[in-house]
Amino acid sequence: MATNPAVPFWDEGNTFTGHASAAVTGKRFVSISGARVDGNPRVAHAVGSATVRAIGVAAYDAALGAKVTVYSGPGIVMPVTAAGAITAGQDVYSDAQGRASAAGGTGARPAGVALDDAADGTDAVIKLA
């Protein structure tokens, strides 16, 4: 059974199966981390930079080499673990561990927008960009 599952608040059907190129924690942003394996794109925690774009949110914890469902696509509203306080309406970015952060690095693109306030370490309600 999956541990730490992320269940979307609303889902428009935009999911895919990723192949974890590193251990992945559920409810965190992931990005493409390499060429496909067994037909599935490799994913790892998004690192929140100008060159690495968050592609979606891991649905649950996955070990290195395991398959993981990724909720992806604009408009899906997902729980994402907050890194620091987040205020409703703020753009959010991925930090180096794939958590939602109100602070983005230089040139980083928003991964979504907060639909509610969230405290550090809690599930933030994020509409994916």
Side-chain angles (χ1 to χ4, degrees), residues 5 13-14 21 32 50 58 65 73 77 83 87-88 100 103 116 121:
N14 296 309
S21 63
I32 301 299
V77 179
T87 302
D116 197 4

Side-chain angles (χ1 to χ4, degrees), residues 13-114:
N14 296 309
T15 63
F16 68 90
T17 300
H19 183 93
S21 63
V24 170
T25 303
K27 301 181 186 178
R28 295 200 183 184
F29 291 117
V30 294
S31 62
I32 301 299
S33 60
R36 295 186 305 158
V37 173
D38 298 328
N40 302 115
R42 290 183 190 175
V43 295
H45 288 150
V47 295
S49 71
T51 59
V52 177
R53 179 179 182 176
I55 193 72
V57 175
Y60 44 82
D61 296 352
L64 166 68
K67 302 295 189 227
V68 62
T69 299
V70 176
Y71 290 99
S72 181
I76 297 175
V77 179
M78 292 292 301
V80 181
T81 304
I86 297 173
T87 302
Q90 280 185 309
D91 283 340
V92 294
Y93 304 83
S94 178
D95 75 354
Q97 290 81 41
R99 299 172 300 183
S101 173
T106 303
R109 293 188 282 186
V113 63

